[in-house]
Amino acid sequence: MLSPSLAQEIASDTSAVIGFNVLITDAEGVVIGSGDSSRVGTFHEASVEVVRSKEPATHSASQAQELRGVRPGVTLPLVTGGQAVGTVGITGTPAQVRRFGLLVKRQTEILLRESVMLRSRLLAERATETLLADIASYDPQVVEGDFLGYRAAELGFDLRLRRVAVAFEVTVPDAAARRQGTPTRDMALVRSELLRTVRDVFADPQDIVAGTAPGWIGVLHRLPARGPTASLVAGCRRVIDVIAAQDGLAARAGIGEPAATAGGLHDSYQDACDALRLGARLTDGSPVHLVTDLRVHQVLAAASQSARNRLLDLTAADLRAQPDWPVLRDTITAWCESGFNLVRASAALHIHRNTVVYRMHKIEQLTGRPLREHRTTMALYLACLADHLGGGTEPAGRRGTGSLNDRSPSDRSPSDGPLNDGTRSNRRSAHPPGLAHRSSGGRNERSAGD
């Protein structure tokens, strides 16, 4: 319980302050720290009786000579939790050092308790990290859900309570942001600060918060009986704002679906990670992504790359050959996500509705299909989402962004799981809406109604 490194640090520092040698022993009377380093490792006979009786003892020069390894001074017990774990001794004539005895004893016991508490917190934090990692990689064919429930109960968590998973990704701002004065931070160095920030917001005793990798924090947030989604989103935004203000870092959050079983929490956490991945490609700028807004994108991303390529090439080849393809793509996306309503689509794109009509007419001419026909429009919508995810054979003279799986392993984040491999594994990485980027339109695409 009393580590030699801590004992030596306390003994050295205290000796320098009071001007008398201080030594610390363990419960067996062996010196584990001393201002006089030559005494470390020796036996201090007087400490044995002090530990047994939990009472201080003083020894004159003549008394010290009769005891092994003892010099004149005072020896006091170190007691924590009602148990003597060692002693602290001060060398000198009893009349000189007695006045320091109680002060040194109490200071040493305080430092010892803080060390024990810190160690307990670190052990609990590591156990929580392991629990979250095991939930994130949960496979019912390998581990029983009840076993995870027992382990969670040992840490004070009840996995039967309704929770929702949240995944935070924290990154260092890019070079442009740093030129504006944002400091560069090392994720490993600010890890404890980030965890404290998240726990300040997700402060319910049943909230499971742990780091999953440098720059990645997972939360299994206990939901109140009637907790609206808006309050959860607001909490995530608050975390993101505090991280940006205090640490100069950029953060995003992905939110899964509510669950109350080990398997359900596994799916919720993977959904939260998917929301982060997909949100980075499809978001309109919001730092918080809900998987409920990205279910279509998630299913499309789970399709094979070849299937997405074929959808794009056969459905939108003529459109993708146009120089204003990004504008046409955003128009189709806005049209579908606005419920095929012209007024709402124009508001989403921040353009005049006559411009939307002009674009739609152009799309119909190129595809030979009416956009009022919902099956045709939905096929084009899925093709537009597939293009955002990365796919299709690029027309001559244009280069695509590629898919998640097009990147080399060194280019992928710890959160990149097999989103695009056509399957959804139960043992994906334990680390990680809707409308795509909207263009305001080209300068030359004015309709007569504008």
Side-chain angles (χ1 to χ4, degrees):
M1 187 177 292
L2 184 58
S3 68
S5 58
L6 177 62
Q8 182 58 47
E9 181 180 357
I10 295 173
S12 298
D13 292 347
T14 309
S15 298
V17 171
I18 67 175
F20 295 94
N21 183 61
V22 173
L23 64 81
I24 297 174
T25 76
D26 61 16
E28 305 299 325
V30 177
V31 178
I32 57 176
S34 175
D36 179 2
S37 57
S38 65
R39 300 187 67 181
V40 175
T42 63
F43 178 65
H44 190 263
E45 187 176 354
S47 294
V48 176
E49 177 60 24
V50 171
V51 169
R52 188 194 65 79
S53 65
K54 299 181 187 178
E55 294 292 337
T58 58
H59 303 90
S60 62
S62 59
Q63 291 172 325
Q65 288 179 353
E66 298 177 1
L67 298 171
R68 180 182 168 190
V70 178
R71 296 179 183 176
V74 60
T75 306
L76 303 99
L78 295 175
V79 180
T80 179
Q83 179 182 1
V85 297
T87 68
V88 58
I90 307 176
T91 304
T93 60
Q96 291 178 309
V97 300
R98 187 179 290 111
R99 57 196 172 108
F100 295 110
L102 187 58
L103 176 63
V104 172
K105 166 185 162 65
R106 288 181 176 173
Q107 183 64 25
T108 304
E109 289 175 344
I110 290 172
L111 294 174
L112 177 59
R113 283 195 296 271
E114 289 179 349
S115 175
V116 171
M117 291 175 61
L118 177 60
R119 179 175 175 80
S120 298
R121 284 198 300 269
L122 290 175
L123 290 175
E125 186 170 301
R126 289 172 185 170
T128 303
E129 289 177 2
T130 302
L131 175 64
L132 182 57
D134 288 346
I135 291 174
S137 60
Y138 172 69
D139 184 345
Q141 296 182 347
V142 178
V143 179
E144 292 186 4
D146 289 344
F147 177 69
L148 285 180
Y150 294 144
R151 285 182 45 203
E154 291 178 348
L155 297 173
F157 302 120
D158 185 353
L159 291 188
R160 297 171 298 179
L161 298 175
R162 189 166 173 265
R163 288 181 170 84
V164 64
V166 181
F168 287 97
E169 179 193 26
V170 185
T171 57
V172 178
D174 59 20
R178 289 198 296 270
R179 282 196 296 271
Q180 297 173 4
T182 304
T184 300
R185 304 294 300 275
D186 185 336
M187 293 295 98
L189 295 178
V190 298
R191 180 175 179 276
S192 61
E193 297 177 20
L194 296 175
L195 284 170
R196 184 165 56 251
T197 298
V198 175
R199 285 171 178 151
D200 284 345
V201 174
F202 295 93
D204 190 293
Q206 286 294 322
D207 285 345
I208 302 174
V209 182
T212 57
W216 286 83
I217 296 175
V219 180
L220 298 181
H221 170 57
R222 179 189 180 182
L223 290 171
R226 296 181 179 180
T229 303
S231 63
L232 177 58
V233 173
C236 291
R237 289 184 181 277
R238 191 156 66 251
V239 169
I240 291 169
D241 291 342
V242 172
I243 289 175
Q246 292 184 349
D247 302 309
L249 301 171
R252 296 187 304 118
I255 301 175
E257 297 270 21
T261 64
L265 290 173
H266 163 81
D267 291 339
S268 180
Y269 188 76
Q270 300 303 336
D271 282 345
C273 294
D274 281 356
L276 269 179
R277 297 186 189 98
L278 295 169
R281 288 174 171 264
L282 305 170
T283 184
D284 57 358
S286 172
V288 181
H289 319 292
L290 288 85
V291 76
T292 52
D293 297 332
L294 297 164
R295 284 302 185 190
V296 174
H297 312 75
Q298 187 182 41
V299 171
L300 190 61
S304 67
Q305 183 71 60
S306 61
R308 294 207 307 272
N309 289 348
R310 185 171 175 80
L311 174 66
L312 264 171
D313 294 341
L314 297 181
T315 305
D318 292 337
L319 294 175
R320 296 178 76 235
Q322 301 300 309
D324 60 345
W325 158 240
V327 171
L328 300 178
R329 178 188 62 197
D330 293 346
T331 302
I332 295 171
T333 304
W335 172 248
C336 294
E337 294 185 353
S338 299
F340 310 105
N341 182 283
L342 183 60
V343 175
R344 288 200 294 268
S346 61
L349 292 167
H350 306 292
I351 57 177
H352 195 279
R353 63 179 181 176
N354 287 344
T355 304
V356 177
V357 173
Y358 169 80
R359 293 183 186 177
M360 292 174 62
H361 180 66
K362 180 177 181 179
I363 292 168
E364 290 175 339
Q365 285 185 320
L366 289 169
T367 61
R369 302 172 185 174
L371 288 181
R372 297 286 179 179
E373 183 182 295
H374 289 177
R375 287 188 178 183
T376 296
T377 307
M378 291 309 299
L380 286 173
Y381 174 65
L382 293 176
C384 291
L385 297 186
D387 185 70
H388 273 293
L389 291 172
T393 304
E394 285 298 327
R398 293 182 60 227
R399 297 182 60 188
T401 58
S403 73
L404 281 175
N405 287 347
D406 290 335
R407 288 180 283 165
S408 67
S410 61
D411 291 334
R412 300 176 69 181
S413 78
S415 67
D416 286 348
L419 260 179
N420 302 325
D421 62 358
T423 62
R424 181 184 174 97
S425 168
N426 278 335
R427 301 192 66 81
R428 283 190 296 170
S429 169
H431 311 298
L435 196 59
H437 171 70
R438 305 277 167 79
S439 170
S440 61
R443 295 176 180 174
N444 299 324
E445 56 156 356
R446 302 282 184 182
S447 72
D450 287 344

